[in-house]
Amino acid sequence: EPEVTQTPSHQVTQMGQEVILRCVPISNHLYFYWYRQILGQKVEFLVSFYNNEISEKSEIFDDQFSVERPDGSNFTLKIRSTKLEDSAMYFCASINTIVGYTEAFFGQGTRLTVV
Amino acid sequence: AQSVTQLDSQVPVFEEAPVELRCNYSSSVSVYLFWYVQYPNQGLQLLLKYLSGSTLVKGINGFEAEFNKSQTSFHLRKPSVHISDTAEYFCAVSPRRGATNKLIFGTGTLLAVQP
């Protein structure tokens, strides 16, 4: 069964450092997403990406965040200068179309801990 | 804008007992409705969805949910739970005519099944 894979599963970084979270979406999917969940809070939408550009982003997704699909398979989320409040579980998801409904497939998540 | 409320952060229940996990939503537009499950150290998995038609929908692992438009609710039920149902359950909505099919999640309910 196809799946979305995320690496690493857990990352610890010092405040102010840059981190890159990696995702490999399902191969024939076209739309990609990042969500995050701060411990004890709701899963929040960060950004959606289609055709090599951001299609929608939330107010959380400020200039410290960026996404790209550098090689046609990986989908990355970069945080330039991490803050303590960036500590969260980050989920990647992908779907193959937004016409009507199609199921979003999620990765297992990356737990980011900023110290 | 949309929002999802899951009032119960944790629901303890004995094995083989019935359970109901509550979900209410708010939206100015028509939405699709979902329940996702997250088992320990795993990603988000779609449990069931309401797109249209019958308001009672059945999902995997014996779960079902009922859409109630007048009460803007989508409660999840199972008549007899197993230890293996212990997991975090997330209710989510997605605008039917949204540009990106993003999901808006609730804060989650931890179902803790005890022997």
Side-chain angles (χ1 to χ4, degrees), chain A residues 33 35 37 41-43 45 48 55-56 91 95 97-98 100-101 103-104 106-108, chain B residues 4 32 34 36 38 41-44 46 49 51 90 99-103 105-107:
Chain A
Y33 307 80
Y35 293 82
Q37 184 186 26
Q41 298 185 27
K42 63 178 65 180
V43 178
F45 167 77
S48 61
S55 47
E56 185 177 355
F91 293 105
I95 61 175
T97 178
I98 61 168
Y101 164 77
E103 180 178 345
F106 284 81
Q108 294 183 331
Chain B
V4 177
Y32 299 124
F34 309 89
Y36 280 83
Q38 184 181 27
N41 300 315
Q42 295 189 26
L44 295 165
L46 182 65
K49 60 186 181 289
L51 305 181
F90 296 94
T100 62
N101 275 24
K102 68 179 181 184
L103 291 160
F105 286 89
T107 51

Side-chain angles (χ1 to χ4, degrees), chain A residues 18-68:
Chain A
E18 174 184 286
V19 294
I20 298 176
L21 309 184
R22 291 184 167 80
C23 169
V24 179
I26 294 172
S27 61
N28 64 340
H29 284 192
L30 302 174
Y31 297 82
F32 315 110
Y33 307 80
W34 284 101
Y35 293 82
R36 80 172 185 188
Q37 184 186 26
I38 295 171
L39 188 63
Q41 298 185 27
K42 63 178 65 180
V43 178
E44 301 171 290
F45 167 77
L46 291 178
V47 66
S48 61
F49 190 84
Y50 169 69
N51 200 25
N52 283 322
E53 61 183 26
I54 291 173
S55 47
E56 185 177 355
K57 60 182 181 179
S58 71
E59 60 274 10
I60 303 167
F61 195 88
D62 61 23
D63 291 344
Q64 292 298 312
F65 291 90
S66 63
V67 289
E68 64 175 359

